[in-house]
Amino acid sequence: MSFEKNTIKNIDELIERELRNANSKYPLFSSEHEGYAVILEEYEETKYNIELADRTLENIWENIKTNSHDVVVKGIVTLKTEMQMLIAEAIQTAAMCDKMIMSMEKIEKE
């Protein structure tokens, strides 16, 4: 799937903002192990949101098959919220990847 260049640019800006926020609260990673652990935690949170969305989508489909219009609409609203949370977690994961790169560059210089 292709995205408009502006979409990727906007995502990159969100990642950079998340990285700045994280760096203002926490120092760079002191080791590859620490960086990996933080990235893994964020990645697992992203996966959790995918699993939630999978279940919601299955529920939507079941309700479509039984013509439960009101439940389908509520499910779609829920799915949108879950997608927003998924995107937020994915942005945090990407920001931690950038933080890991910055941390490793600093460690190599020392």
Side-chain angles (χ1 to χ4, degrees):
M1 174 177 284
S2 65
F3 296 99
E4 290 187 31
K5 288 181 182 178
N6 284 339
T7 300
I8 298 300
K9 181 181 178 209
N10 291 338
I11 292 168
D12 285 342
E13 289 170 1
L14 291 170
I15 293 167
E16 179 61 31
R17 190 178 316 154
E18 181 64 29
L19 177 62
R20 280 194 310 269
N21 183 47
N23 284 343
S24 73
K25 294 178 182 178
Y26 306 103
L28 293 177
F29 303 131
S30 60
S31 69
E32 291 176 348
H33 292 86
E34 179 187 12
Y36 176 80
V38 172
I39 291 170
L40 180 61
E41 178 183 358
E42 294 301 336
Y43 179 77
E44 287 174 344
E45 291 170 359
T46 302
K47 279 179 39 178
Y48 172 77
N49 281 280
I50 291 170
E51 292 163 1
L52 279 178
D54 282 345
R55 287 192 294 275
T56 299
L57 202 51
E58 288 172 13
N59 186 271
I60 290 167
W61 179 237
E62 290 304 314
N63 285 289
I64 287 172
K65 293 189 288 186
T66 60
N67 295 317
S68 302
H69 176 75
D70 290 344
V71 179
V72 169
V73 171
K74 288 177 186 175
I76 295 297
V77 170
T78 298
L79 182 63
K80 179 182 177 185
T81 300
E82 291 169 351
M83 290 293 96
Q84 290 169 324
M85 297 305 297
L86 169 62
I87 291 164
E89 290 297 345
I91 287 168
Q92 287 180 337
T93 305
M96 293 305 97
C97 290
D98 284 345
K99 187 173 184 117
M100 176 76 155
I101 292 166
M102 292 172 67
S103 299
M104 295 303 91
E105 287 173 349
K106 181 182 178 207
I107 289 170
E108 286 177 7
K109 288 179 182 177
E110 293 176 346

